[in-house]
Each structure stands twice: as C-alpha cells, then as structure tokens.
Amino acid sequence: MDNQDHQPVVAQKSPNKDDYSMQVDDANAAKLNELSQPQSSPNNSTNSKLIELSTSNQDVPYTSQENPIFQADDPIIMQDSNDDTHHDHPITGDPQDQIDDDNTPIPYQQQSPIEYDFTTTPIQVSTNYSEFDKKSENFLKGCKWSPDGSCLLTNADDNVLRIFDLPSEAYSQQFSSLPDLTCVLRMTEGETIYDYTWYPKMSSYDASTCCFLSTSRDHPVHLWDAYTGQIRCSYKCFNHLDELSPAHSLAFSLNGELIYCGSKKSVRIFHTSRPGRDFEDRPTYINKEGQSGIISCIAMNPYHTNLYAVGSYSRSVGIYEEPGGYLCFQLKGHQGGITHLQFSPDGNRLYTGGRKDSEILCWDLRQPGIVLQSMTRQVLTNQRIYFDLDRSGTYLTSGNQDGSINIWDITTSSPDDEKAITLSPLLQFTAHCDAVNGVGFHPTLPLLASSCGQRLFITPGYNYDDEDIDQDPEEHSLTESSVKLWLLSHTSSAL
C-alpha cells in the first residue's frame, strides 16, 4: 500500500496525562486488529548461504565485480582475519547458550531467568577511568553490550569507539576478583558519532559475525570489524542533489539482512550484502503528513517481526509495517524530541524517552494512544540518555543527570486501564559524579554497565581567580567520565 493513499492513526497523549484520544477509520481499525497477531516478514527469513567481505580500511565499497563470491541476496557474514592486531574474546560458554544451532536467538520465554537482588545497593565490580581522560573535555556518550555479552562498546566525544572485553572471571561468577575493564580496540571516526549498533547475530565463537555499524557527521555508514578494528565496508546515503547525506540513527533488521538509516524526513534501507550507494528511500513526511524532522532512533519489534518503530526530533513516534514501510499510526506525547525507544520482549509495548523530557512512557501497541506506565527520571539537557530493559522484560533502568541510576519493576499495572500509572523506582543508587548517559543489562549475567559524562561550559562572569584555584578555567569544567560494571546479585555464589 502506498503511504500516500491512507491516513495514519495519530494517537496523542493529552497534556493532563490522564486522557488519551484518537480517531480511527475503518481501514486503520482493521489494520490495528492485526497488530496483536504475530506476522512473518520476508525480510526476516533465514538463508544458509554466506558471503565474505574483505577487511579493508579503505572507505570504498566492494561490488560484485571486485569480489567474485559476492551474492547480492545473501545475508552477510564477514571474513576472519589472521592479522596480529586482532584480539581474542575470553568466552567460555555462557553467551553461546543464547543461540540455537541455526544461529537464531532463543525466544525470551525459553531462556533461563537471571537472578537479580534489588534489596540492597549494587556493588561496583569493575571500572575504567584512564581511557577517557587523555583528551581535554572528553566524555562518554553511551555504552552497549554485544549480543553475546562478551564485550562492551562505548562512544565518546573524542569520536573514538572503544571495545572493552568482559573479564574472563565473570563467566565463572568470580565477581569479587574482577580486574578493571581493559580497552582492547579503538576505532576512530572523522567527525561526531551520531549512532552505533551491533550486528544482531554477533557471536565471539564466529569471528566473521563480530562487527558493528557506526554513523558520523559528513561520513558514510561504516561497518567495523570488532576483531581487527578495520572498516569492512561502507554504506553511503545521498540526497536529491547527489550530496552525501549522513545517517542520524541506525538499526539492523532482526536477521541482520537489512540496515535501516534514519535521515531527515526519511528512512533509507540498505541490503547488508550490498555496500555502496544503492538503497531504498522511504519518506516519512509526505504532503505535510507523517513524521517530520530528523529520524533520531529506530527499533525493531522482536516478536511482531514485520513492525518497526521510528522516533523523530519532531517529538513523534511512528509504527511502520513491512514490506514497504506502511505507516500504521503515530504516537505523540513527549515534551522533547525522541532520543531512544525500545520494544518489550513480547512486542506488545513500546518504551520511549526524549531530550529535556523527564518521562519514559510505555505505550500499549494493541491500543494505540494508551499509555500504560510513566517513569520519571532527571533529563535536563538535549543529551541522549539511554535506558534499557532486561531480557525478561521485567525491569527497566535509566540514568539521571545527577549521576544516579533508577531501576523500575515494569510488571506493575494500573487497576484502571484508562489511566497511566506513574511507577516509583524499585531501586535508586548513586553510580557516578556526573550525568549517567548509558546503561545496559548484561544479556546473560547479573551485571549492569553504566557510562557517564556530559558537555560542560564555563559560566560567564564566574570568578576563577580564587586563591585555591591555580589551573585554567577549562580544567574546572571537567568532571567524571568513566564506564563501570555493577553486580546486581548478592548471593554467595556471585561473590
């Protein structure tokens, strides 16, 4: 169906936060009834054939003529490298338990639960400060666990992506003797990094799958090798003037065959196996309808595999359907531009957060416009503050501007289905001395990763001539920039 031939539902949260209203025509009513049924998508079919890409550091995409084994319709898997610069992930078994023989994720209902203990303050078991204080005014901008949990990927203001290996002692539950986190790879982009994401089927047992995407200002999307730190290939977005138009957000399809790139008023889609400049352009704003502004974040529905969510700095969230990118409906209710969104494991709820917006909202996708829950955090700037769900969909965590971390039990529901419930944190603890911008539950262990830092400016008119201050004013704008691991279980076996 053509996006221009229908009127999407607009589900808007009203200012009083208790009343929600929307209008649904007959065609959209039938479409919404289908959302609660699992769908199959041609974009998520598996293919056993594999291709290889050279681990070149050149910013030149490979074509089928340059690589005779390049199959355009095959899913991507990368070539292992024997380069001396690669590093070995200390995997002993736990992460692989999350992957079936056919390399597909195990449904969250079948995974063994992780035992958390939120009755006491989490224990800091590992950290790294030194990696981020080598450059003046450097600070972190988030952290993301690899899908198998073997390493942690961070982004910083110095335009460097860093990979930290999880200490090997963690796999034997020896959390009390964990060493400090060690940076094993550094990958430098030329400009400010907008977004980055792991290949969804990444497993350290197969070095060819160890890769991730990044996008930065005035640069193509780069696919990095997480073993060698080399650029494997590039994906270039061009606008109608044939000028390079960088992506502002990134997401892989669930099977890794497609790459979704968010730009201004559009989503560009590449086939992972076809690096270069060939992409499908899906406008999100047509005839003054739809989502305007920069597409700031994209998330795939893990259960209803034909759906994906798109967040915009225009303060709207769109739910789209494959194939073709049909806009099902929009959700509006945030006070600031959307900076992060994430689906629940069952795919029926969507969690969204915005900049300069203190609320994380939980939307019921089976009843568009209904906000089930609201969680309050401290977000005072335009900085992207990430949140994360644990793999069971029971707990949600987010950082705050004051350096604390909140954890909520999101299984609590309102007795009145017509009103949203404001959840109180199950646990709040001070983790850093500065804004916590990144948090992430480990996929298999009772660990929480956090990163902190923010851009600070000299206060005009402030007197820096105090006798106790013998340094330059710029040095006083520096605060904590670090990444830490927290133990969320206090059982004797964990300690």
Side-chain angles (χ1 to χ4, degrees):
M1 181 179 294
D2 194 323
N3 286 346
Q4 303 183 47
D5 295 334
H6 78 286
Q7 297 292 329
V9 178
V10 177
Q12 185 162 354
K13 173 176 173 287
S14 62
N16 61 17
K17 302 182 182 180
D18 288 331
D19 299 328
Y20 306 90
S21 61
M22 66 174 182
Q23 296 179 350
V24 185
D25 57 26
D26 294 339
N28 278 317
K31 179 65 63 177
L32 296 179
N33 289 334
E34 298 176 3
L35 294 182
S36 60
Q37 302 297 326
Q39 303 285 338
S40 60
S41 172
N43 296 327
N44 290 279
S45 60
T46 57
N47 191 328
S48 59
K49 293 187 294 181
L50 305 177
I51 68 171
E52 296 181 352
L53 292 180
S54 171
T55 56
S56 171
N57 196 28
Q58 299 178 358
D59 191 11
V60 179
Y62 287 83
T63 65
S64 56
Q65 289 78 17
E66 294 169 337
N67 190 343
I69 64 173
F70 213 104
Q71 301 296 324
D73 295 327
D74 292 340
I76 194 167
I77 192 167
M78 298 9 169
Q79 177 182 351
D80 191 7
S81 172
N82 293 323
D83 194 313
D84 293 337
T85 61
H86 86 283
H87 70 282
D88 296 325
H89 293 295
I91 303 298
T92 59
D94 284 346
Q96 186 66 9
D97 294 340
Q98 301 307 118
I99 301 175
D100 280 335
D101 293 337
D102 61 352
N103 203 30
T104 57
I106 299 174
Y108 76 100
Q109 298 95 332
Q110 302 176 17
Q111 298 174 3
S112 57
I114 300 175
E115 295 184 2
Y116 297 114
D117 180 8
F118 296 122
T119 59
T120 57
T121 303
I123 300 174
Q124 178 183 316
V125 293
S126 188
T127 187
N128 185 293
Y129 288 91
S130 59
E131 187 64 33
F132 305 99
D133 60 7
K134 299 176 182 178
K135 177 183 176 182
S136 176
E137 298 185 17
N138 190 28
F139 60 92
L140 281 112
K141 294 183 176 180
C143 58
K144 296 182 180 182
W145 286 109
S146 61
D148 68 351
S150 62
C151 51
L152 187 67
L153 177 63
T154 66
N155 173 27
D157 192 56
D158 58 1
N159 307 329
V160 177
L161 294 158
R162 295 172 172 86
I163 291 181
F164 295 85
D165 271 342
L166 181 66
S168 58
E169 291 85 350
Y171 298 103
S172 57
Q173 306 284 318
Q174 300 175 15
F175 298 114
S176 60
S177 58
L178 290 187
D180 285 344
L181 292 172
T182 301
C183 180
V184 294
L185 273 181
R186 299 172 186 85
M187 292 134 290
T188 303
E189 284 281 13
E191 281 286 351
T192 300
I193 298 172
Y194 289 142
D195 199 8
Y196 56 105
T197 185
W198 283 100
Y199 180 64
K201 292 189 176 183
M202 180 270 187
S203 171
S204 289
Y205 285 98
D206 187 349
S208 60
T209 65
C210 295
C211 58
F212 62 91
L213 291 170
S214 71
T215 179
S216 59
R217 183 171 57 195
D218 298 332
H219 282 70
V221 174
H222 289 149
L223 182 67
W224 295 91
D225 190 305
Y227 265 77
T228 66
Q230 304 292 313
I231 296 177
R232 290 181 173 177
C233 58
S234 300
Y235 304 85
K236 299 181 179 181
C237 300
F238 287 86
N239 59 21
H240 63 288
L241 299 176
D242 205 35
E243 298 172 337
L244 183 66
S245 176
H248 290 265
S249 55
L250 295 171
F252 275 106
S253 61
L254 295 179
N255 61 3
E257 293 182 8
L258 299 177
I259 297 172
Y260 292 72
C261 303
S263 300
K264 187 175 182 179
K265 300 180 183 179
S266 71
V267 174
R268 281 85 177 264
I269 300 177
F270 291 87
H271 284 269
T272 312
S273 59
R274 301 174 189 171
R277 58 177 297 166
D278 294 331
F279 59 86
E280 176 188 354
D281 189 17
R282 295 180 179 176
T284 61
Y285 192 69
I286 303 174
N287 296 330
K288 297 184 178 180
E289 294 182 354
Q291 284 186 277
S292 61
I294 294 174
I295 303 304
S296 55
C297 47
I298 305 173
M300 301 294 133
N301 193 308
Y303 189 76
H304 307 286
T305 56
N306 62 321
L307 298 179
Y308 62 95
V310 170
S312 169
Y313 283 139
S314 65
R315 299 177 290 182
S316 66
V317 176
I319 304 297
Y320 295 82
E321 182 184 25
E322 293 284 14
Y326 172 90
L327 175 59
C328 299
F329 54 86
Q330 289 189 68
L331 304 171
K332 294 184 179 180
H334 279 282
Q335 306 303 311
I338 309 301
T339 55
H340 188 52
L341 41 78
Q342 187 172 353
F343 284 99
S344 61
D346 62 9
N348 291 328
R349 292 169 293 164
L350 178 66
Y351 295 85
T352 60
R355 56 187 185 183
K356 285 189 176 181
D357 192 331
S358 62
E359 285 186 309
I360 298 175
L361 299 180
C362 172
W363 302 88
D364 188 349
L365 299 185
R366 297 162 295 184
Q367 305 178 74
I370 299 298
V371 174
L372 298 177
Q373 299 164 339
S374 172
M375 289 137 283
T376 302
R377 57 180 181 169
Q378 186 187 53
V379 180
L380 305 177
T381 68
N382 288 328
Q383 184 179 20
R384 189 189 301 264
I385 303 294
Y386 290 94
F387 56 84
D388 190 36
L389 288 166
D390 79 309
R391 72 179 188 186
S392 69
T394 303
Y395 304 105
L396 183 145
T397 182
S398 176
N400 295 292
Q401 209 81 34
D402 61 3
S404 63
I405 293 177
N406 292 346
I407 298 177
W408 294 271
D409 182 349
I410 55 177
T411 59
T412 305
S413 60
S414 172
D416 186 352
D417 293 337
E418 299 299 324
K419 294 185 178 181
I421 180 175
T422 301
L423 297 182
S424 298
L426 179 66
L427 174 67
Q428 183 178 46
F429 67 98
T430 300
H432 297 269
C433 299
D434 207 343
V436 180
N437 48 50
V439 290
F441 286 105
H442 190 276
T444 61
L445 299 171
L447 293 175
L448 177 72
S450 65
S451 62
C452 76
Q454 63 180 324
R455 191 183 309 280
L456 298 177
F457 301 93
I458 300 298
T459 303
Y462 186 82
N463 183 12
Y464 290 95
D465 296 329
D466 189 278
E467 59 181 4
D468 294 331
I469 297 179
D470 56 1
Q471 300 171 322
D472 293 334
E474 287 188 359
E475 299 183 24
H476 293 283
S477 64
L478 298 178
T479 56
E480 180 185 351
S481 294
S482 65
V483 58
K484 296 181 179 180
L485 296 186
W486 302 88
L487 179 62
L488 302 179
S489 174
H490 292 179
T491 61
S492 57
S493 59
L495 296 175

